[in-house]
Amino acid sequence: MRRSTTPLPRPRFARPSLENELMESTFSRLRINGLDAPLGVASSTLRLSWVVSREIGETDQIVVVVANSLRKLLSVSDVSDGLHTLPGDARSLVLDPPATRRMYWRVGHRDNDHVTWSDPSHVTFAPDFAAEGACWVTHSDLVAGRPEGDTRSVWFALDIVADPSDTLTLLHLATPGVADVRVDGHSLGRNILGPGYSDLHREVSAATHDLGILLPGAHTVTVEVASGPYWISPTPERYSKFVGHHQAPALLALLEQFGESTRSTTTRADRTRTGRGATVAAHWYGGEDFDAGCVEPWHAREDVNAIDASRDRSPTVWWPEHPPIQVVDVLSEGDFVAGREGVVADFGVNIAGVPELRWRSSGADRVVRVFPAEQIDAQGVDQDSTGTPIFDSIRIPAGTEGVWSPRFTYHGFRYLEVRGAADLEVKAHVVRATNERSGTFTSGDAFLERLHTVVDRAVQGNMHSVFTDCPHREKFGWLEQLHFCFDALARNFNVEAHLRDMLHHMRQAQLTTGAVPSIVPEFCDFSGHGFQGDDDAFRFDVNWGGAIVHLPLDHYDQYGDLRVVEDNVEAMKGYLAYLRSRETDGLINFGLGDWIALDTSAPRELIASHGYMRVLDSAIRAAELMRDGEWLLELGERFAAVTIALREREHSSPSSSQTELVILVDLAERRNDVSAADLAFAHLLERIASDGDAFTVGEVTFGLLIDVLQRRGLGDLIYSTISRPDVPGYGMQLARGVTALAETWSAERLAVGEG
């Protein structure tokens, strides 16, 4: 493919000014609710936190000052004037939000009469759309929902004038779908694929976009919207994980300009222009069709007003706090091979992202299609693992040049097969939620280095508005990964705010019975999807739904935010009442068992009931933290009943599966029964040997297996079993060339799990 040298147009933004003064400080990483200077915060309380970089004396104090302007913040000189005084070992402070739209704050170290201050930080609060006069608007084509087969994007435009004194311009928006925000046609490169997932029926997500300091003069702010997961119609042309008609595209927005005068512009039918976009088809799973010959919204000047949609809409506006999704890397194509009808670009690694196509002028109209895939075969891309067909297309009129990437969906891929043109430059944009790095891993062992790399790449590929299970064929928030893989998340990335959002989704999805579905938001009701005799196994499993109890405790242990436990206590109690309702003689027997186990002979009742016991154990910790004696007593009784019931069904022998034996070791160790634990462990070692020195457990008990072996000093056995290239496991995945962790131990796509 020939490379284009056409330069991109430059945005019409002024150079931003530095707001914070630099000063020597004892403190760093000032955060609110786990985020650095967040926008659009709507929490009922704020948790201010910081990191201390030098020792603070036992008699010294930490002081926190807050103000509604930077000038006021920096003018505070008397540490007794409206400050919060804390002991020297304090690392956080919880406050009620002030009655202002912006709050500035900093932390000081008081040593005798001297205070050393941190750099200032700030938070911007979410607006009240109704109080500001913003109205829901939509296009006339969509007043009654989406017509059959209409998946074209719709755009909304607001015209503003920037003043030379302006220091900040913010756009707050809510929409049921995926929004692409531009100023005078220029993408900000931030908050893409937002504002993110929410309950499809009752809720819409909102987000705040910082438009920067605009050059003085007239500007057009456009918000182009496609349906995302909110409206997916069945189509034979593209792959769909699910279909459903929930909410058609609409927009609720407020533009704020801060300067010598503060001005606001809101969406209303009489001041919002609208039209249909150049993305003529948009499918959350199957891809997009773009017509480069269509007029883009920033060039459209026809006076077409939006339609007031407020009467027909009553969703709750929710302000998530996960960091924005952005392009974090751009990959150029490597090797090329011939495909079925075009050429295949290999980017070397499996990513979550979107293609970028850049083309030069041609003498004829062209339609180019791009097929993403994780795998290739002798004929070209193989979409068996991703769902098929998935493709993006672009119609390129003769005599035009340009660049385009999909705006309203993303894919999981390593390869792109380009059909219809051979002279395009192709790149891959890696996209994910921009959680900051919090840790790194290095090893002198090449296998462990590679293993960490593929695990880390899989984490990043699934780190979007929710933590998904795969970035292509599902894009669902399966819950078991949040506690089973908590360390892999939290030790590599700061996910403090993002995981609070996941708990919000769990509470929203919780049923009146107290049950928590295995995916949140619950885009698909998996009732009737049977597995091992349970018709609802994919919808309800204690090791998935139990995340509503485990995750708040994991979060508290990692970040020390007691609010997260407090906010979820009622949901925990509801979930435990649901589990109690499904007990039979102290045990439960439903769900997926030890999912993707290579040996599926372990009784599901044992796996599920052990998961139930673990949920009760976490709930006991929550009750202790909340000092809820009545609940603690109730939990203790249930815990005793379940452990007794499990004890009565224990049977350890060398013929038991690894899954069963790992659970038996854990049960015996929990009750300090050394002889029973040693016997079960001896049988486990015998079973591993009889299984060919390979592990056969699934994801539910894999972590337990590693912990048990590690506690007993058998790190060498762990290494030898997980690194084998000839049996299903991590070694086989690496031997087969995966560049991001696969969904099964063998890295092969099987109908259900591995067995």
Side-chain angles (χ1 to χ4, degrees):
M1 292 187 182
R2 295 187 318 196
R3 296 181 176 272
S4 169
T5 57
T6 306
L8 291 173
R10 298 184 61 140
R12 291 187 57 221
F13 299 137
R15 184 185 299 275
S17 62
L18 293 176
E19 186 177 50
N20 293 352
E21 57 180 289
L22 298 177
M23 56 189 75
E24 183 181 357
S25 176
T26 305
F27 306 96
S28 63
R29 284 188 263 170
L30 273 64
R31 289 174 174 152
I32 286 187
N33 291 350
L35 297 170
D36 179 17
L39 300 172
V41 172
S43 300
S44 58
T45 57
L46 306 174
R47 182 172 182 266
L48 287 60
S49 63
W50 51 88
V51 171
V52 176
S53 59
R54 64 184 69 178
E55 186 176 349
I56 294 179
E58 293 183 2
T59 61
D60 295 351
Q61 293 178 326
I62 289 176
V63 289
V64 179
V65 60
V66 299
N68 61 8
S69 73
L70 183 60
R71 182 175 301 173
K72 287 184 179 180
L73 183 81
L74 298 179
S75 68
V76 172
S77 58
D78 183 351
V79 297
S80 66
D81 183 16
L83 304 181
H84 301 271
T85 303
L86 306 170
D89 61 351
R91 298 296 180 266
S92 65
L93 172 66
V94 176
L95 297 175
D96 293 331
T100 60
R101 290 297 309 287
R102 234 176 186 218
M103 185 188 86
Y104 294 81
W105 66 291
R106 60 178 177 170
V107 187
H109 169 210
R110 183 165 68 180
D111 180 4
N112 296 320
D113 294 329
H114 176 70
V115 178
T116 303
W117 290 104
S118 71
D119 293 336
S121 187
H122 61 272
V123 56
T124 303
F125 298 107
D128 182 333
F129 283 120
E132 297 290 341
C135 299
W136 282 104
V137 294
T138 190
H139 191 280
S140 58
D141 291 351
L142 307 175
V143 171
R146 300 211 73 141
E148 186 65 31
D150 178 7
T151 63
R152 187 175 181 178
S153 64
V154 57
W155 57 261
F156 305 92
L158 293 169
D159 298 318
I160 60 173
V161 176
D163 188 84
S165 70
D166 287 350
T167 58
L168 181 68
T169 303
L170 297 178
L171 169 65
H172 314 276
L173 66 86
T175 183
V178 182
D180 178 70
V181 175
R182 303 197 177 216
V183 178
D184 303 326
H186 300 293
S187 174
L188 304 178
R190 304 184 297 274
N191 292 61
I192 64 174
L193 297 174
Y197 282 4
S198 65
D199 181 283
L200 295 180
H201 307 272
R202 302 167 294 171
E203 195 176 56
V204 294
S205 293
T208 295
H209 295 247
D210 184 351
L211 305 187
I213 303 174
L214 303 182
L215 292 173
H219 298 275
T220 297
V221 177
T222 57
V223 182
E224 190 174 2
V225 179
S227 283
Y230 288 84
W231 194 292
I232 301 178
S233 297
T235 171
E237 297 177 356
R238 282 187 160 97
Y239 165 77
S240 297
K241 176 61 181 182
F242 74 99
V243 296
H245 299 160
H246 298 106
Q247 300 184 58
L251 180 68
L252 182 68
L254 165 69
L255 262 166
E256 293 184 300
Q257 297 169 266
F258 299 90
E260 290 181 359
S261 64
T262 299
R263 293 98 66 207
S264 64
T265 305
T266 61
T267 46
R268 280 177 26 188
D270 60 350
R271 66 167 62 126
T272 308
R273 294 184 290 112
T274 188
R276 304 308 299 273
T279 300
V280 295
H283 193 288
W284 185 236
Y285 291 96
E288 300 178 18
D289 294 332
F290 182 79
D291 189 340
C294 286
V295 177
E296 293 275 39
W298 41 90
H299 296 307
R301 299 308 306 175
E302 66 270 20
D303 188 18
V304 178
N305 284 346
I307 301 297
D308 191 313
S310 298
R311 293 182 181 179
D312 302 321
R313 301 193 58 77
S314 58
T316 299
V317 174
W318 173 61
W319 294 85
E321 291 187 6
H322 65 78
I325 298 170
Q326 297 181 6
V327 176
V328 297
D329 198 5
V330 178
L331 307 179
S332 297
E333 74 274 13
D335 296 334
F336 289 92
V337 297
R340 291 172 179 81
E341 303 172 40
V343 294
V344 178
D346 180 1
F347 293 95
V349 293
N350 208 18
I351 67 163
V354 294
E356 176 192 279
L357 305 179
R358 190 182 298 261
W359 66 92
R360 292 178 175 177
S361 176
S362 171
D365 290 353
R366 293 176 289 172
V367 174
V368 178
R369 286 187 170 189
V370 182
F371 291 77
E374 295 182 318
Q375 304 169 351
I376 55 173
D377 57 26
Q379 286 74 45
V381 295
D382 177 1
Q383 291 187 330
D384 178 67
S385 66
T386 61
T388 189
I390 297 173
F391 64 90
D392 300 308
S393 78
I394 178 170
R395 186 184 77 83
I396 303 174
T400 65
E401 61 181 24
V403 60
W404 173 78
S405 290
R407 301 171 186 173
F408 305 107
T409 190
Y410 68 101
H411 310 298
F413 65 96
R414 171 177 172 171
Y415 305 96
L416 290 174
E417 183 166 326
V418 182
R419 303 176 186 175
D423 61 343
L424 273 68
E425 178 184 356
V426 184
K427 294 184 178 180
H429 290 188
V430 183
V431 300
R432 66 165 174 86
T434 49
N435 292 301
E436 296 177 353
R437 279 280 181 189
S438 62
T440 57
F441 174 84
T442 58
S443 172
D445 184 89
F447 170 78
L448 294 178
E449 284 274 12
R450 284 188 63 202
L451 179 58
H452 179 267
T453 297
V454 300
V455 171
D456 185 73
R457 191 172 289 122
V459 168
Q460 293 189 60
N462 289 293
M463 191 186 292
H464 284 72
S465 71
V466 301
F467 292 91
T468 65
D469 67 314
C470 63
H472 34 71
R473 64 182 180 84
E474 288 205 4
K475 304 181 184 178
F476 286 165
W478 290 93
L479 293 181
E480 89 290 0
Q481 60 195 336
L482 298 180
H483 60 98
F484 287 144
C485 302
F486 182 84
D487 287 346
L489 293 174
R491 293 185 182 183
N492 286 286
F493 297 94
N494 172 25
V495 288
E496 180 179 350
H498 209 157
L499 289 178
R500 284 200 321 276
D501 280 2
M502 292 302 302
L503 286 161
H504 166 87
H505 292 309
M506 291 183 219
R507 295 193 301 272
Q508 286 294 104
Q510 189 168 26
L511 308 181
T512 56
T513 62
V516 175
S518 295
I519 60 169
V520 299
E522 194 180 18
F523 290 172
C524 278
D525 179 345
F526 281 125
S527 298
H529 289 256
F531 182 68
Q532 294 184 350
D534 179 1
D535 287 344
D536 298 334
F538 285 92
R539 192 181 190 200
F540 301 122
D541 185 298
V542 67
N543 288 302
W544 276 249
I548 190 62
V549 183
H550 295 307
L551 185 58
L553 275 299
D554 290 338
H555 192 285
Y556 172 73
D557 289 341
Q558 180 72 23
Y559 301 110
D561 188 355
L562 191 60
R563 297 177 308 161
V564 177
V565 180
E566 295 169 342
D567 291 346
N568 292 283
V569 162
E570 292 307 311
M572 293 182 197
K573 290 181 177 179
Y575 187 65
L576 285 160
Y578 161 73
L579 293 179
R580 177 73 177 91
S581 73
R582 299 205 63 173
E583 270 189 40
T584 301
D585 298 328
L587 303 178
I588 61 173
N589 187 6
F590 62 91
L592 297 169
D594 195 7
W595 179 246
I596 68 168
L598 299 163
D599 179 348
T600 60
S601 64
R604 182 175 58 199
E605 182 180 59
L606 175 66
I607 300 164
S609 298
H610 180 257
Y612 183 15
M613 183 198 69
R614 291 183 60 248
V615 168
L616 286 164
D617 194 31
S618 290
I620 287 170
R621 281 203 62 218
E624 290 171 343
L625 289 169
M626 296 295 98
R627 300 179 181 178
D628 189 332
E630 182 178 350
W631 188 32
L632 186 60
L633 180 62
E634 176 188 339
L635 291 169
E637 292 174 350
R638 295 305 333 133
F639 186 86
V642 173
T643 53
I644 290 171
L646 281 167
R647 180 72 182 93
E648 292 174 349
R649 288 162 174 77
E650 284 186 23
H651 175 68
S652 172
S653 76
S655 63
S656 301
S657 69
Q658 292 183 31
T659 291
E660 185 172 359
L661 290 167
V662 167
I663 290 175
L664 295 183
V665 172
D666 184 64
L667 290 172
E669 288 183 344
R670 284 173 178 268
R671 64 174 184 270
N672 295 316
D673 189 338
V674 176
S675 60
D678 288 347
L679 177 62
F681 185 72
H683 289 158
L684 174 62
L685 294 183
E686 291 181 52
R687 185 57 198 252
I688 292 173
S690 66
D691 286 332
D693 293 322
F695 69 80
T696 62
V697 297
E699 69 168 317
V700 172
T701 57
F702 178 75
L704 276 177
L705 173 64
I706 299 303
D707 288 345
V708 165
L709 294 175
Q710 183 64 35
R711 284 198 302 270
R712 294 177 180 249
L714 295 178
D716 289 346
L717 180 59
I718 296 173
Y719 184 89
S720 64
T721 55
I722 69 171
S723 61
R724 286 185 55 179
D726 58 329
V727 295
Y730 294 125
M732 177 173 281
Q733 290 193 26
L734 295 186
R736 290 182 169 174
V738 303
T739 57
L741 197 65
E743 288 191 83
T744 62
W745 291 127
S746 61
E748 292 181 347
R749 177 127 187 255
L750 301 179
V752 177
E754 288 278 9

